């Protein structure tokens, strides 16, 4: 940000101080708690403008508008009302909630209900970081990405004796940086880039919308953001650790292939993956109950830890499920319910999903698999860098990578040789990298001889409902998900697949505001909105769940030659959408969620419905480098090797043929372990 731009933003706020105070206080008026202006809303707006100077024109429109025109029919007013409210209900460090008085008003606290038993935050131990100037010219293996799959790859290859370089696009921020900000959070959608990355500047993507191609920034919902930080999404995820069930691997055989779909079976089944599921649960660390529900496969070993402690909300929902005749299970979590693998147990704070764990009780790549990799002395990690393309020799064999990055404001580029490469950058970036790696032998990109790279993009369409109750139902006991039903994963008459339903993570007050407004349960602004937050924040409950998407070949990632990132590399370009069956399954999930809430005593319920626009992706992105037995219809073989390239494997969710109706991270861990085990055995 230039000094001139900063001055312009400060100057705008100062020049319009009186008018802006009037506007923000119209959003949150004063009563026995401060108004928005009294709580610091103008400081919050100034801070936000530093990151989004493009918002100045929208604010100018509001400053110049007649008050009579400012209502929910005015798109800039609805945006402004929600933004000002975000600051009012967020953490004090954002400037709009002085003294965090709004938290007092709604009865919310960030820490555990009984207070912390240990000092927080826990400092993050520095990883084995290599500076670009100190890179070796050659490594036995280069691993691209450090999330679930990348961590497994680094660990397995380093423990086999290989010299490994992990290339991570993000940095390794400390726990404090990722455990507090309610606005710059991957589970929030306020238009400001998440602290877990990537930054808004220099990393655009595009999406086809009709005949137009729109530019997206990382803070845009359709960008399909995965965290760009050491550990990837596992650093800040909610950590639900479900196994896929037997039918999830045989969707086409079980249901047939709906018209317009590219639904297919996996090249192996649940029984093949079970032992790697077990390894992932024990080596990374999962807590859970005695059963996985009616559609689960057999397991040879229980979870290593019992469920995380639950409170009154779980019992209320369990009783309601009994009335409805549906079965329930504990939600399996990659969270320590007891001390495990040298780390503490969960303290059950109210800030889990989207945040780094203050006591390091959430188990991800960064504190399990990467830690093991670095302990061998054979692995190092390069931060803030990207692989722009895979390098090939005259025969088309992958022989190394071209890496780009920025140090002290200066861009750099280097070429590294590697005997083997593992791609684990997430479904979008992994597909983008193969498409940008063109050669004489593969002019359309590595592995793309049959136009399969980037197709079958999927994530999870979510269904659910929000209910409000006459009494307090939010017990403040994190992480939140304590009970689920898996009855609707399969077996719904006339429906292809389905998904789980579970009570949601403890929400921050700013997100609760957004949920209540989106459900039509409170207005966006005014005293009625403020009093609605005061009265309903702890008397509301959400039940949500992902549905198994019916994949389509036209939902895809390509590369846009007309738009490049700061290093000149063509960016990811999205096109297509979800299958109509996905919307129907979502509506069924929402209806069952509403039934469950009503049975639990909800007096008002709002279901999640409406059209689904664009492709699905986000944190659960999968499917762009589909696994199979036929190179004509897949990108990798059953061992994760890119067809025709024994030296190149893929170890992330992009290999998923289908993505089940549950969170996919445990399957990413398990399939990556299977792939890397085969890679090590091959020598």
């Amino acid at each position: 940000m230039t000094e001139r731009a900063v001055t312009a933003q400060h100057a705008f706020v100062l020049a319009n101080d009186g008018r802006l105070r009037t506007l923000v206080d119209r959003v949150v008026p004063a009563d026995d708690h401060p108004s928005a202006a009294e709580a610091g809303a103008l400081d919050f707006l100034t801070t936000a403008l530093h990151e989004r100077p493009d918002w100045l024109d929208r604010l100018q429109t509001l400053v110049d508008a007649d008050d009579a025109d400012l209502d929910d029919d005015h798109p800039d007013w609805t945006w402004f009302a929600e933004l000002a409210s975000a600051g009012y209900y967020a953490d004090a460090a954002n400037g709009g909630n002085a003294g965090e008085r709004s938290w007092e008003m709604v009865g919310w606290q960030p820490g555990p209900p009984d207070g912390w038993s240990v000092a927080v935050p826990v400092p993050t131990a520095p990883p084995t970081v290599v500076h670009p100037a100190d890179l070796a010219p050659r490594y036995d293996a280069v691993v691209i990405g450090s999330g679930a799959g990348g961590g497994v790859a680094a660990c397995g290859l380093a423990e086999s004796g290989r010299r490994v370089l992990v290339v991570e696009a993000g940095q390794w921020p400390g726990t404090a940086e990722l455990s507090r900000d309610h606005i710059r959070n991957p589970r929030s959608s306020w238009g400001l880039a998440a602290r877990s990355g990537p930054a808004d500047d220099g990393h655009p993507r595009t999406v086809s919308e009709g005949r137009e191609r729109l530019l997206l920034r990382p803070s845009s919902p359709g960008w399909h953001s995965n965290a760009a930080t050491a550990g990837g999404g596992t650093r800040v995820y909610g950590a639900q650790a479900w196994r896929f069930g037997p039918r999830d691997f045989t969707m086409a055989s079980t249901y047939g292939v709906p018209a317009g779909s590219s639904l297919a079976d996996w090249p192996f089944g649940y029984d093949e993956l079970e032992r790697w599921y077990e390894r992932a649960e024990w080596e990374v660390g999962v807590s859970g109950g005695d059963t996985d529900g009616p559609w689960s496969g057999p397991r040879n070993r229980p979870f290593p830890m019992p469920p995380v402690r639950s409170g009154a909300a779980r019992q209320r929902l369990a009783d309601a499920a009994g009335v409805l005749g549906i079965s329930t299970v504990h939600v399996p979590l990659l969270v320590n319910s007891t001390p495990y693998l040298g780390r503490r147990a969960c303290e059950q704070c109210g800030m889990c999903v989207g945040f780094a764990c203050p006591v390091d009780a959430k188990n991800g790549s960064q504190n399990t698999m990467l830690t093991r990799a670095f302990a061998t002395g054979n692995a190092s990690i390069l931060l803030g860098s990207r692989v722009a393309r895979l390098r090939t020799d005259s025969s088309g064999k992958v022989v190394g990578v071209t890496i780009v990055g920025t140090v002290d404001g200066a861009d750099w580029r280097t070429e590294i040789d590697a005997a083997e490469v593992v791609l684990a950058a997430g479904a979008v970036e992994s597909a983008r990298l193969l498409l940008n790696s063109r050669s004489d032998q593969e002019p359309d990109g590595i592995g793309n001889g049959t136009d399969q790279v980037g197709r079958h993009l999927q994530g999870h369409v979510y269904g659910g409902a929000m209910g409000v109750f006459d009494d307090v139902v939010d017990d403040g006991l994190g992480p939140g998900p304590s009970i689920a039903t898996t009855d609707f994963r399969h077996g719904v008459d006339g429906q292809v697949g389905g998904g789980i339903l579970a009570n949601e993570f403890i929400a921050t007050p700013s997100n609760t505001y957004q949920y209540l407004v989106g459900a039509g349960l409170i207005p966006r602004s005014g005293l009625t909105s403020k009093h609605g937050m005061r009265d309903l924040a702890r008397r509301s409950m959400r039940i949500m769940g992902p549905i198994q998407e019916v994949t389509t070949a036209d939902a895809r990632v390509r590369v846009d030659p007309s738009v490049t990132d700061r290093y000149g590399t063509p960016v990811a370009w999205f096109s297509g959408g979800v299958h109509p069956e996905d919307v129907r399954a979502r509506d069924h999930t929402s209806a069952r969620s509403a039934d469950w809430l009503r049975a639990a005593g909800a007096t008002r319920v709002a279901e999640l419905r409406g059209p689904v626009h664009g492709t699905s992706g986000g944190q659960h992105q999968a499917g762009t480098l589909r696994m199979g037995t036929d190179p004509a219809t897949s990108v990798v073989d059953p061992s994760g090797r890119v067809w025709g390239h024994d030296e190149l494997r893929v170890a992330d969710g992009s290999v998923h043929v289908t993505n089940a109706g549950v969170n996919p991270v445990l399957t990413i861990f398990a399939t990556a372990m299977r792939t890397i085990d085969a890679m090590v055995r091959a020598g």
Side-chain angles (χ1 to χ4, degrees):
M1 186 63 62
T2 66
E3 187 62 33
R4 180 178 179 182
V6 171
T7 301
Q9 290 142 25
H10 279 298
F12 174 84
V13 174
L14 290 171
N16 296 283
D17 180 276
R19 176 60 173 159
L20 288 172
R21 287 180 181 275
T22 298
L23 292 174
V24 298
D25 282 355
R26 180 172 170 181
V27 175
V28 186
D31 54 7
D32 51 343
H33 283 81
S35 70
E38 291 168 344
L42 269 59
D43 291 335
F44 169 69
L45 290 177
T46 302
T47 300
L49 288 171
H50 289 169
E51 297 177 44
R52 295 296 303 268
D54 55 306
W55 286 350
L56 278 170
D57 290 342
R58 299 186 78 176
L59 283 176
Q60 187 66 62
T61 298
L62 295 170
V63 166
D64 295 340
D66 292 332
D67 284 350
D69 296 330
L70 299 182
D71 55 29
D72 282 356
D73 292 327
H74 193 299
D76 287 328
W77 173 253
T78 60
W79 161 76
F80 177 79
E82 292 190 10
L83 182 65
S85 296
Y88 188 77
Y89 294 111
D91 54 295
N94 274 291
N97 187 15
E100 294 170 343
R101 290 287 307 284
S102 71
W103 295 358
E104 170 193 293
M105 180 182 76
V106 302
W108 185 87
Q109 63 179 32
D114 298 329
W116 295 103
S117 66
V118 296
V120 293
V122 174
T124 301
T128 305
V129 177
V130 60
H131 189 277
D134 298 324
L135 287 168
R138 185 184 186 281
Y139 291 85
D140 296 325
V142 170
V143 176
I144 304 167
S146 67
V152 166
C155 179
L157 296 177
E159 290 182 342
S160 76
R162 288 165 169 83
R163 189 182 186 197
V164 179
L165 175 68
V166 181
V167 182
E168 168 54 50
Q171 300 294 333
W172 198 305
T175 299
E177 186 175 348
L178 295 181
S179 62
R180 298 175 182 173
D181 197 324
H182 292 200
I183 301 295
R184 295 163 191 82
N185 180 291
R187 285 284 289 211
S188 299
S189 56
W190 303 108
L192 300 175
R195 292 199 181 277
S196 54
D200 253 0
D201 184 37
H203 305 293
R205 290 173 177 171
T206 61
V207 60
S208 292
E209 189 166 299
R211 295 185 177 182
E212 295 186 57
R213 200 175 302 176
L214 305 180
L215 194 69
L216 302 172
R217 58 198 305 157
S219 56
S220 304
W223 198 89
H224 293 326
S225 179
N226 259 354
T229 186
T234 70
R235 186 82 190 277
V236 293
Y237 63 173
Q240 292 197 32
W242 300 93
R243 294 184 177 195
F244 289 8
R247 283 199 182 187
D248 297 326
F249 294 92
T250 60
M251 288 292 292
S253 296
T254 300
Y255 293 100
V257 180
S261 167
S262 57
L263 195 64
D265 291 345
W266 286 58
F268 53 77
Y270 174 86
D271 290 345
E272 167 67 17
L273 200 58
E274 198 279 333
R275 63 189 175 108
W276 281 282
Y277 274 134
E278 179 183 306
R279 270 189 57 190
E281 289 166 352
W282 282 81
E283 293 185 22
V284 185
V286 176
S287 57
D290 296 331
T291 177
D292 297 339
W295 300 105
S296 63
R299 58 169 54 244
N300 293 317
R301 197 178 183 190
F303 292 117
M305 291 174 282
V308 173
R309 183 169 58 99
S310 54
R314 185 182 199 283
Q315 189 58 53
R316 176 186 285 262
L317 288 171
D319 292 343
V323 171
L324 295 173
I326 58 177
S327 67
T328 61
V329 299
H330 288 274
V331 177
L333 296 169
L334 285 145
V335 173
N336 291 348
S337 60
T338 60
Y340 191 70
L341 297 178
R343 293 187 308 281
R344 295 171 174 148
C346 173
E347 293 273 326
Q348 300 198 272
C349 71
M351 293 168 58
C352 185
V353 65
F355 298 97
C357 178
V359 297
D360 208 28
K362 184 159 55 176
N363 304 322
S365 177
Q366 79 289 342
N367 58 6
T368 60
M369 309 313 290
L370 285 177
T371 300
R372 282 172 49 182
F374 298 140
T376 67
N378 295 328
S380 57
I381 186 168
L382 177 67
L383 299 172
S385 308
R386 294 176 178 268
V387 174
R389 64 184 299 271
L390 304 179
R391 296 168 42 240
T392 55
D393 63 13
S394 59
S395 69
K397 178 182 178 180
V398 174
V399 295
V401 296
T402 299
I403 306 177
V404 296
T406 304
V407 174
D408 297 329
D411 293 346
W412 58 269
R413 178 181 298 260
T414 192
E415 294 186 347
I416 299 294
D417 293 338
E420 298 171 300
V421 175
V422 177
L423 190 50
V428 174
E429 289 298 317
S430 289
R432 176 194 177 203
L433 178 54
L434 291 187
L435 292 169
N436 278 323
S437 300
R438 304 171 188 269
S439 67
D440 291 341
Q441 291 76 18
E442 296 177 288
D444 296 319
I446 289 176
N448 198 34
T450 57
D451 192 30
Q452 291 299 300
V453 172
R455 291 190 180 275
H456 319 292
L457 174 65
Q458 57 193 291
H460 276 136
V461 174
Y462 267 74
M466 187 171 196
V468 296
F469 297 76
D470 289 337
D471 54 333
V472 171
V473 292
D474 177 5
D475 55 23
L477 202 64
S482 58
I483 187 171
T485 181
T486 65
D487 287 6
F488 309 117
R489 287 180 69 170
H490 295 283
V492 178
D493 288 344
Q495 181 174 297
V496 179
I500 61 165
L501 297 175
N503 57 334
E504 259 288 326
F505 292 91
I506 299 294
T508 63
S510 55
N511 279 4
T512 296
Y513 162 84
Q514 201 167 48
Y515 299 151
L516 288 168
V517 168
L521 296 170
I522 65 171
R524 285 186 176 84
S525 60
L527 276 177
T528 303
S529 175
K530 188 177 183 181
H531 293 165
M533 276 291 291
R534 179 196 65 196
D535 297 337
L536 300 183
R538 296 197 63 197
R539 292 197 294 111
S540 61
M541 181 186 294
R542 297 172 78 225
I543 292 176
M544 300 287 291
I547 59 97
Q548 176 143 223
E549 294 182 10
V550 174
T551 62
T552 67
D554 291 336
R556 66 187 303 187
V557 176
R558 289 175 280 186
V559 291
D560 191 333
S562 66
V563 181
T564 60
D565 64 17
R566 66 176 295 160
Y567 305 109
T569 308
V571 304
W573 163 26
F574 301 115
S575 58
V578 302
H579 193 275
E581 182 66 27
D582 300 339
V583 179
R584 195 159 69 90
R586 187 278 315 270
D587 289 348
H588 175 267
T589 298
S590 294
R592 300 293 75 75
S593 300
D595 291 343
W596 199 358
L597 287 166
R598 291 189 186 97
T603 55
R604 285 186 290 162
V605 175
E607 296 181 24
L608 181 59
R609 291 184 178 269
V612 178
H613 298 289
T615 55
S616 180
Q619 295 285 346
H620 294 178
Q621 60 189 236
T624 57
L625 307 179
R626 175 182 270 191
M627 182 184 289
T629 57
D630 184 353
T633 57
S634 60
V635 179
V636 304
D637 71 10
S639 294
R641 287 176 297 202
V642 174
W643 290 109
H645 292 276
D646 289 346
E647 71 286 355
L648 177 61
R649 303 209 185 210
V650 183
D652 60 23
S654 63
V655 304
H656 288 188
V657 180
T658 51
N659 214 26
V662 296
N663 303 55
V665 71
L666 192 72
T667 301
I668 296 175
F669 276 120
T671 55
M673 287 178 175
R674 181 177 179 274
T675 291
I676 300 306
D677 280 2
M679 189 175 176
V680 169
R681 288 196 306 271

